[in-house]
Amino acid sequence: LLVTFLLCERGLRTMTAVAAPTRHSECIREISAGAARTSLQTLQLGMGWFGEKAGGLNRVYAHLVDELSRDGVELHGLVAGSPEVARASNGLVHAFAPADAPLLTRMRALRAAASAWLRERPDALVVSHFALNAFPALSQARRHPFVVHFQGPWGEESRVEGEGRIAVIAKETVERAVYRRASRAIVL
């Protein structure tokens, strides 16, 4: 298993670390030694919390949040879910809205939550794990390095699963907007 970490620009250096899990902490320490003494701050935009909704994306997200926090990365996660998410993640991840809330309600809540956190952290790295949940935060993310975890073509998968033409086009449009904005992409 290969774990990839893209770290935001600090001063004049852009730092990228790629490490096997056993070397992960070592790489973070090595990079931090040459960087400014402030910790890396990240806004992690997920889909849902693994304890509430199973799935590969949610599992990867939960494990990444755990690993990053153990390595001293200041992170704030946002997912669709219940208030229980904050307790289950030791306060690292919060639900911006219930997973079954109407789409527009979820998007407005995510935008507000992301804006509030980013306003106080001008140097934060924004990380998307699901295009739909990054879309409402794109305008706020404009002033921040933005990394996308690409876990598969959402629109194309929907087409194969038999979704209607308009739904597929909408998903592909959201994906393109999010991926075009990315400073870096991580392909899982």
Side-chain angles (χ1 to χ4, degrees), residues 115-175:
S115 294
W117 195 84
L118 290 171
R119 221 180 348 266
E120 296 182 20
R121 292 160 186 87
D123 294 330
L125 171 68
V126 178
V127 183
S128 165
H129 296 266
F130 181 51
L132 180 62
N133 288 353
F135 189 72
L138 284 181
S139 63
Q140 287 82 18
R142 187 176 324 140
R143 295 174 295 280
H144 298 268
F146 182 59
V147 175
V148 170
H149 285 247
F150 178 77
Q151 302 197 25
W154 183 42
E156 185 59 30
E157 288 170 359
S158 296
R159 182 186 328 276
V160 170
E161 292 170 358
E163 282 205 43
R165 183 174 172 353
I166 293 173
V168 169
I169 290 170
K171 290 176 180 182
E172 290 173 340
T173 301
V174 166
E175 282 183 304

Side-chain angles (χ1 to χ4, degrees), residues 7 13 19 31 35-37 53 70 83 88-89 99-100 103 117 134-135 143 147 153 158 161 178:
L7 306 178
R13 298 177 46 183
I31 289 167
R37 294 291 175 222
K53 184 170 177 155
R70 280 197 255 161
S89 68
D100 60 355
L103 178 62
W117 195 84
F135 189 72
R143 295 174 295 280
V147 175
S158 296
E161 292 170 358
V178 170

Side-chain angles (χ1 to χ4, degrees), residues 1 11 23 25 30 34 41 52 54 57 77-78 81 95 113 117-119 121 135-136 152 154 161 164 180 186-187:
L1 174 67
R23 294 208 43 218
S25 296
E30 207 173 281
Q41 300 171 329
E52 294 186 349
L57 187 154
L78 293 172
W117 195 84
L118 290 171
R119 221 180 348 266
R121 292 160 186 87
F135 189 72
W154 183 42
E161 292 170 358
R180 277 190 197 126
I186 298 172
V187 180

Side-chain angles (χ1 to χ4, degrees), residues 2-169:
L2 190 64
V3 179
T4 305
F5 297 92
L6 296 173
L7 306 178
C8 70
E9 190 172 41
R10 295 280 186 201
L12 300 175
R13 298 177 46 183
T14 299
M15 300 166 285
T16 304
V18 180
T22 55
R23 294 208 43 218
H24 168 236
S25 296
E26 184 180 313
C27 284
I28 295 293
R29 277 192 303 274
E30 207 173 281
I31 289 167
S32 296
R37 294 291 175 222
T38 60
S39 69
L40 176 63
Q41 300 171 329
T42 68
L43 176 61
Q44 302 282 332
L45 303 171
M47 183 167 66
W49 186 248
F50 184 65
E52 294 186 349
K53 184 170 177 155
L57 187 154
N58 294 341
R59 178 190 310 263
V60 168
Y61 179 85
H63 287 289
L64 180 62
V65 163
D66 185 52
E67 287 296 318
L68 291 174
S69 69
R70 280 197 255 161
D71 285 328
V73 173
E74 178 189 338
L75 69 93
H76 181 67
L78 293 172
V79 298
S82 75
E84 181 65 17
V85 170
R87 189 201 62 74
S89 68
N90 296 317
L92 296 172
V93 180
H94 295 85
F96 57 82
D100 60 355
L103 178 62
L104 192 54
T105 300
R106 291 193 321 262
M107 298 302 98
R108 285 180 177 150
L110 189 144
R111 181 180 171 84
S115 294
W117 195 84
L118 290 171
R119 221 180 348 266
E120 296 182 20
R121 292 160 186 87
D123 294 330
L125 171 68
V126 178
V127 183
S128 165
H129 296 266
F130 181 51
L132 180 62
N133 288 353
F135 189 72
L138 284 181
S139 63
Q140 287 82 18
R142 187 176 324 140
R143 295 174 295 280
H144 298 268
F146 182 59
V147 175
V148 170
H149 285 247
F150 178 77
Q151 302 197 25
W154 183 42
E156 185 59 30
E157 288 170 359
S158 296
R159 182 186 328 276
V160 170
E161 292 170 358
E163 282 205 43
R165 183 174 172 353
I166 293 173
V168 169
I169 290 170

